[in-house]
Amino acid sequence: MKTDFKFSNLCGTVYRKGNVVFTPDGNSIISPVGNRVTVFDLVNNKSETLPFENKRDIRRLALSPNGNLLLSVDELGQTLLVNFRKRTVLHYFNLKDKVRDIVFSPDGRYFAAALGRNVQVWHSPGYVREFAPFVLHRTYAAHYDDVTSVSWSPDSRFFVTAGKDMVAKVFSVDPIEGFVPATLTGHRHAVVAAWFARDMRAVYTVSADGAVCVRRFRLHGVEENLTFGEFPIVTNGSDDEESEKPRTMWFTETRHYAQQSARVHSAAFNWATNLMVLGFTNGVFGIWEMPDFNLVHTLSISRKQINTIAINPTGEWLAFGAAKLGQLLVWEWQSETYVLKQQGHFYDMSCVAYSGDGQYVATGGDDAKLKVWNALSGFCFITFSEHTSSVTAVQFTKGSQVVLSASLDGTVRAYDLVRYRNFRVFTSPTPVQFTSLAVDPSGEIVCAGCQDSFEIYVWSMQTGKLLDVLSGHEGPISALAFRPDGLSLASSSWDKSVRFWDVFDRTKVVERMEHSHEVLALAYRPDGKELCASTIDGQIHFWDVAKAAPAGSIEGRRDIAGGRSATDRQTAENSAAGKSFTALCYSADGTAVLGGGNSKYVCLYDRRSRILLRKFQVSQNQSLDGVQHKLNSRNMTEAGPRDLIDSDGIDSDSEKHVDRSLPGVRSGDKSNRVLKPEVRTRDVKFAPTGRQWAAASTEGLLIYSLDETLVFDPFELDADVTPDSIRELVRTGDYLRALVNALRLNEQHVIRSVYESVPPKDVALLARAFPAVYVERLLKFIAHVTESSQLLELHLKWVSELLTTHGSFVKTRSVALQPVLRMLQRNVVRLHQDIGSVCDKNYYALGYLLRQSKHVAEAQEEGDGDVDMHQVFADFSDDGE
């Protein structure tokens, strides 16, 4: 099998911390997810995670006005300069301090970064030919406390800063005659944000207590307001025409208050609509029209504080992020509807499962929620929250219309994915905690193992009744798995054994396979002839199911070993923690085994040769514990590791509890701690198509797919097979030889050009003469091309004729072709659903138009030009019934 899997997407997490940014066209939103960046396409309903990683969690994002450059800044000021359109990193740079805000100027020539009490203005790369990508223009130091935000003027000549010292300051990028930096006072709490009005005739400032001030600019002693940026020069009337600078001033014209019981935590302003949006710590946001501060709308969207707000360029969509719950919302305020409403698991993700056709991915988390995601778009479309404790296992039935989940609350629940409801609840006679789950291939038998009574409970899916209780294990049940043919159930336990049960005939003897250590996970090969189990000493044992005999083992202790935790007293090499596999999964064709555990690695082994094929590092985020192999002793302090001390309160709620009553106290309370999650992989699963696999990790659901960049992979190639010779065969009408040679050359664009040039009337003839050895490669190509091509009739004809003509060949190689056939099924079902919805819409639209034209004609005949639209709808509804 191919092993060139690469990271492709991150699901299960939509927002962690930092700010969100709209693209210049307003159709997409960019969200920081840990140390990665995810782009949500709001028009096409897709999500994409960019392929680069910051060293730590991202704190601020900034996108240039033309949408070409993206700045991604992490917690310590490490900055990545990214070509956003090509998704490539151009440069690495260190701002050497924690960044609270970073913004590009409207003309794109500068960007300003708030670093502590200072503001640095840098030249944007690409506008001036310089040796270094980043060139510092100037540093502005005027605040007495940390700067909270920076905002530019529309002409990019000035910017206004807000700080915790309860003032806002106005600076110019370059020296301007007649301008003196101004300080805007009057607030009693820290200033959250400040902005220029679009006409430059006002500055709006908002503080944490909800006070909003409108500032105006005028000459001293003159009642008429001026446009900021125009500084008049007054002459003294002498012959030498000597001029003097007039005294100008800022004054507070009006002061307003947002009547909310909570504090303002985030704010945004839009020049196009003059709308100010404030987000409060109680999850409420409000929209006000400036400068009159007219309330437009208020809404409670979360139970926790709103950490970030963004407005798209046209002012129609508002984006909100809540870090505590991992929520990302996009709200259209005019129609009062959600454009996007996504929330990830706000605790660890514990388990993952693919549906039989690979279209859906189900995840369970420690937040007691079960979420189902669309594997193609990356969006969650249903969340089930009936459980009251952590979800420990999820599983789809064979038809993919039912998903089951086991939980520590002592229940196993079955959910209908057609009606989106919990239709069955399985419970035990006595309260237990379920840790594993298995469903037989027919979907009629449900089994769950528990960790306290060491028993396996068996229920009927149809009736929901308890059929049997399997006893015999002497330790907690760690994993359950039905054989693919459904004849037996395998269970692993901490009593160092794997047992085989016949749930349909209890008279048979239970077979027991002994291990030298506790068994943590097990998995069946897709053909059911082999089983693998992992033990706590880091080994993977293979068993021949028919003979009940060992078939080999893999020593994976060194492969799965992770990094060193910040509180570990031993080095990573000497530590015994995390050196075992807690999740195992076979590939779709059964040739490889994937394993993950409590470390930052996921290992892929070849089943036959027992060698390590690849080792994937799921995260390089140093904000997680266990990523680094060696720790820096300089980060150790008297109060503990420096990374675990919350010294500034930026990322937590402890800021309001910091005692700063004494002069000079700026570091806060050394006893305050921040949570540093440990990197680990709790579950891994291969997709039924075999082209991707998923890992439930600390950062979310990581999707790895086969790399499609390597297009040249020849098959039985000789010197006569070239792109030119293939094009000549197509020109002469020899489509069979052209298609076979294109498959041998295996260049995707050549295969596609030949495939699409075949006339649909000749497909049946070509399929009969098509060599069987190339059927698998052609089916795989068709399954891949149906995701992007619109030639639906051609695809369906090829699939139908190939499966009809070569049915016996496909049947004999059903195990090897199973991933390809599942991918075909998934794409055909998706096309059927899309076309069905379009046809339904067209049917009702045409029916409505025909009925309307009929009523118009009848009204004209009667001499009355008015048409009763309610009657039109009523008649059309009657016809539809």
Side-chain angles (χ1 to χ4, degrees), residues 510-545:
V510 178
E511 296 185 13
R512 177 170 177 168
M513 297 182 180
E514 294 292 342
H515 294 73
S516 58
H517 292 80
E518 291 81 354
V519 185
L520 303 179
L522 62 83
Y524 267 109
R525 205 169 68 186
D527 59 3
K529 297 180 180 179
E530 187 179 79
L531 179 139
C532 65
S534 65
T535 53
I536 201 170
D537 62 342
Q539 293 196 23
I540 301 177
H541 300 273
F542 295 89
W543 296 85
D544 189 326
V545 175

Side-chain angles (χ1 to χ4, degrees), residues 516-518 520 533-541 553-563 570-582 584 595-605 610-612 615 629:
S516 58
H517 292 80
E518 291 81 354
L520 303 179
S534 65
T535 53
I536 201 170
D537 62 342
Q539 293 196 23
I540 301 177
H541 300 273
S553 63
I554 296 176
E555 176 61 51
R557 183 179 176 85
R558 292 181 178 271
D559 301 330
I560 195 64
Q570 294 177 320
T571 62
E573 290 78 9
N574 296 330
S575 175
K579 294 188 176 181
S580 57
F581 296 95
T582 58
L584 291 176
N598 294 328
S599 77
K600 60 180 179 178
Y601 294 117
V602 173
C603 300
L604 183 66
Y605 292 97
R610 314 285 195 261
I611 63 172
L612 178 66
K615 188 161 68 171
H629 282 279

Side-chain angles (χ1 to χ4, degrees), residues 49 60 66 101 180 838 880:
T49 303
R60 303 299 296 181
N66 57 8
D101 199 9
V180 177
V838 171

Side-chain angles (χ1 to χ4, degrees), residues 695-707:
S697 70
T698 308
E699 292 196 310
L701 184 65
L702 302 174
I703 307 294
Y704 285 78
S705 301
L706 285 176
D707 184 16

Side-chain angles (χ1 to χ4, degrees), residues 75 124 140 269 287 311 321 375 382 390 428 464 511 775 781:
E75 294 175 336
S124 296
Y140 302 81
F269 180 75
I287 306 175
I311 309 176
I382 185 64
S390 300
S428 59
E511 296 185 13
V775 169
F781 168 77

Side-chain angles (χ1 to χ4, degrees), residues 44-247:
N44 298 319
N45 196 34
K46 289 185 178 180
S47 67
E48 175 193 3
T49 303
L50 305 188
F52 59 86
E53 288 185 78
N54 282 71
K55 287 186 176 181
R56 293 177 178 267
D57 284 342
I58 296 174
R59 175 169 288 176
R60 303 299 296 181
L61 293 174
L63 186 65
S64 61
N66 57 8
N68 290 334
L69 299 179
L70 175 69
L71 292 176
S72 174
V73 187
D74 67 10
E75 294 175 336
L76 298 183
Q78 296 281 348
T79 306
L80 299 184
L81 175 64
V82 181
N83 186 325
F84 180 68
R85 300 190 186 278
K86 294 187 176 181
R87 275 55 170 164
T88 56
V89 179
L90 302 178
H91 186 64
Y92 296 85
F93 188 71
N94 189 2
L95 291 174
K96 300 179 181 180
D97 201 351
K98 296 182 178 181
V99 178
R100 284 186 176 266
D101 199 9
I102 184 167
V103 187
F104 275 94
S105 62
D107 60 4
R109 300 184 65 88
Y110 302 96
F111 67 87
L115 308 171
R117 292 179 290 175
N118 302 331
V119 176
Q120 293 182 351
V121 176
W122 297 74
H123 290 280
S124 296
Y127 283 88
V128 181
R129 294 180 62 88
E130 297 285 353
F131 177 76
F134 289 98
V135 177
L136 179 64
H137 175 72
R138 189 178 173 187
T139 300
Y140 302 81
H143 282 274
Y144 293 98
D145 207 337
D146 290 339
V147 179
T148 56
S149 74
V150 181
S151 179
W152 288 86
S153 63
D155 58 4
S156 300
R157 294 193 302 159
F158 305 92
F159 62 91
V160 57
T161 63
K164 289 185 177 181
D165 54 358
M166 299 180 291
V167 300
K169 292 181 178 289
V170 181
F171 299 96
S172 65
V173 177
D174 297 308
I176 298 177
E177 186 177 1
F179 170 75
V180 177
T183 301
L184 310 179
T185 62
H187 286 287
R188 297 181 178 180
H189 289 78
V191 182
V192 176
W195 310 275
F196 283 98
R198 186 175 183 83
D199 57 2
M200 297 281 289
R201 300 182 69 88
V203 168
Y204 309 125
T205 59
V206 56
S207 60
D209 60 348
V212 178
C213 297
V214 180
R215 322 282 184 143
R216 298 291 185 180
F217 182 69
R218 62 173 57 167
L219 292 173
H220 188 74
V222 180
E223 297 296 328
E224 182 180 359
N225 297 331
L226 296 178
T227 300
F228 182 69
E230 301 175 358
F231 306 102
I233 299 177
V234 180
T235 59
N236 56 11
S238 60
D239 296 338
D240 56 0
E241 296 295 331
E242 183 181 357
S243 60
E244 61 180 11
K245 300 177 183 178
R247 293 179 60 190

Side-chain angles (χ1 to χ4, degrees), residues 123 198 302 307 416 542 677 687 738 861:
H123 290 280
R198 186 175 183 83
S302 176
N307 295 81
D416 185 357
F542 295 89
E861 291 177 359

Side-chain angles (χ1 to χ4, degrees), residues 487-521:
L487 296 179
S488 64
L489 172 72
S491 63
S492 62
S493 171
W494 290 9
D495 62 2
K496 305 179 183 180
S497 69
V498 172
R499 303 192 182 207
F500 294 97
W501 314 79
D502 192 332
V503 296
F504 303 102
D505 186 3
R506 291 301 309 278
T507 60
K508 293 185 178 180
V509 178
V510 178
E511 296 185 13
R512 177 170 177 168
M513 297 182 180
E514 294 292 342
H515 294 73
S516 58
H517 292 80
E518 291 81 354
V519 185
L520 303 179

